[in-house]
Amino acid sequence: MTLSPFAAFEWQIALRYIKAKRRAGFISVIAWVSFLGIMLGVATLIIVMAVMNGFRTDLLDRILGVGGHATVRPITGTFNDIDGQIAKLEAVEGVVRVTPYLEGQVMVSSGRLVRGALVRGLPQSALESLPVLANNIRQGSLADIGNKRRAIAIGQRLAQRYGLEIGTPLALVAPRGAVTPFGTAPRLRRYEIAAIFEVGLSEYDLSFIFTNMENVADLLGQTRAASALEIVVAHADKIKAQRPALQAALDDNAYMLDWQEANATLSGALKVERNVMFMILTLILLVAALNIVSGLVMLVKDKGRDIAVLRSMGATRGAILRIFFITGASIGVAGTLAGLLLGVVFCENIETIRQIITSLTGAELFPADVYFLRDLPAEIIPSQLIIVALMALGLSFLSTLYPAWRAASLAPVEALRYE
């Protein structure tokens, strides 16, 4: 008889084989284990890749939010024409803004607090409009830095660790001060805390201090001329493509360092870790696919009589092959869809789940001191979802071919010989 591919009776028989029966209970258990393996493998891959993507994106966004996408510094210590240099850089296509700044290492002192820090001064207008600061002020106001003679903004972790509040006086000591007959004397200035920010990077919240350029120039004993320029472009990942144009806009007395060069080790480590984790976790899918193979092989042996009867009634080898292909592929497709759903739902609520587990166990699953970020990030990239789904489906389909071929090759006479 002539049968069309994946005919109704093929689906009916295949789905009956998937259902549990008392005599084939063990085979059904293997099918459930295969389903759970595919589901957990797909979900784990999605979750791990999303966390790695979110970690990289969140970390780099916060780092670049403070330091910019590229930094231009003078070779001899001062720019020849800083206004002209800024104008040339802003004229480059793709450049969003160019901000001058002054920075230097200082010692922070307040009561028992003595620690090193990095003080950075920006123009007051740039300070109030810098997104990473303006959007993360927890107490006080950045506008107060310009309204008061000596005012600064410190990080939340620094404030919490040493009990600092708005209005608390804080002494900053610059190691390079006035030159005296007895050597270089440190320069000390007292400031008032006007704002407390929380960037989300533990090191930045603990060690960075922001104020305007006038305060930093007074503290370091320098002119108000910027010591560096911060460049922000429209697309951070395309900085390499824009580098020739930016390089051409630089004066002879300036050099540039982009964020990929400055963070090459960190960015490379995150990429390698993500790829290695993907390869390792793919083994879960492979194990689940092997479970499908073993389950179908046992099913073929158990259903030998059924196969012989179907062949005797006119079913072709192709029909038998498709029946067992549908049986195994259905497990893979169901497991893949369930894994996609589980992975996406888990990623969308990953921070809530982390907090619940932390409250139940008392263990800190994502310490900020180690991972730099205060929240567990997760970013789902659609292309990666498609890759994971196709890989899971491909392994599931391939795992059904050998058992299905074995079933189609079974001769009716041999199957019924001992019945």
Side-chain angles (χ1 to χ4, degrees), residues 29 33 49 53 75 89 99 166 175 179 197 216-217 220 225 256 263 266-267 269 274 283 345 354 356 374 381 405:
V29 169
V33 170
M49 297 302 293
N53 293 332
I75 297 175
L89 291 172
T99 305
I166 298 295
V179 179
F197 61 85
V216 176
L220 301 180
M256 184 178 69
N263 301 280
L266 176 61
S267 181
R274 180 178 57 184
L283 296 177
V345 171
R354 183 191 73 86
I356 292 174
R374 65 179 184 271
I381 299 178
W405 174 81

Side-chain angles (χ1 to χ4, degrees), residues 53-67:
N53 293 332
F55 184 83
R56 178 183 183 275
T57 301
D58 204 356
L59 184 60
L60 291 180
D61 282 349
R62 295 177 190 274
I63 291 176
L64 301 182
V66 174

Side-chain angles (χ1 to χ4, degrees), residues 15 51 63 82 116 120 133 144 148 168 190 282 288 332 347 384:
L15 295 178
V51 170
I63 291 176
I82 187 169
R120 174 172 292 190
L133 283 182
D144 291 340
K148 299 178 181 179
T168 301
R190 294 191 179 277
T282 302
C347 290
Q384 291 183 351

